[in-house]
Amino acid sequence: MARIPSAAVAAGGLVGGYSVARWTKKRPLGGAVLAVAGAAAAQRWRQQAGGTAAGALTAAYVAAFAGSHPLAKKVGAWPAVFGVAGAVALASWAVADRRG
């Protein structure tokens, strides 16, 4: 069975977390999705690229989540979420996935 790239897990966590929070109107539930996907991605990053890279990518994941909020005020919620998810996916691919 093929493994899901960590870039897809990270981007899916950002998009999925927002989706769940928006459609259920339960922000903690969206946060749980975000956290579980982030932890899964961090574990894969550590396996694929080492601890330092995993730490940097985890910081980028958290920064993307935080940065999507002010960005959403300028471009809208969905474009902001997709934009930061794409940025994290690209960084994840460049640092971890393309090695494998």
Side-chain angles (χ1 to χ4, degrees), residues 8-95:
V9 174
L14 290 162
V15 173
Y18 176 69
S19 298
V20 168
R22 180 174 175 130
W23 286 317
T24 65
K25 300 195 182 345
K26 297 187 186 321
R27 291 178 73 179
L29 188 56
V33 170
L34 179 82
V36 167
Q43 181 180 6
R44 296 282 294 283
W45 292 328
R46 190 172 37 260
Q47 291 170 347
Q48 293 175 317
T52 302
L57 287 168
T58 300
Y61 184 81
V62 172
F65 167 69
S68 69
H69 292 82
L71 183 60
K73 293 179 181 180
K74 296 181 188 259
V75 300
W78 282 111
V81 170
F82 285 131
V84 301
V88 169
L90 181 62
S92 178
W93 175 81
V95 173

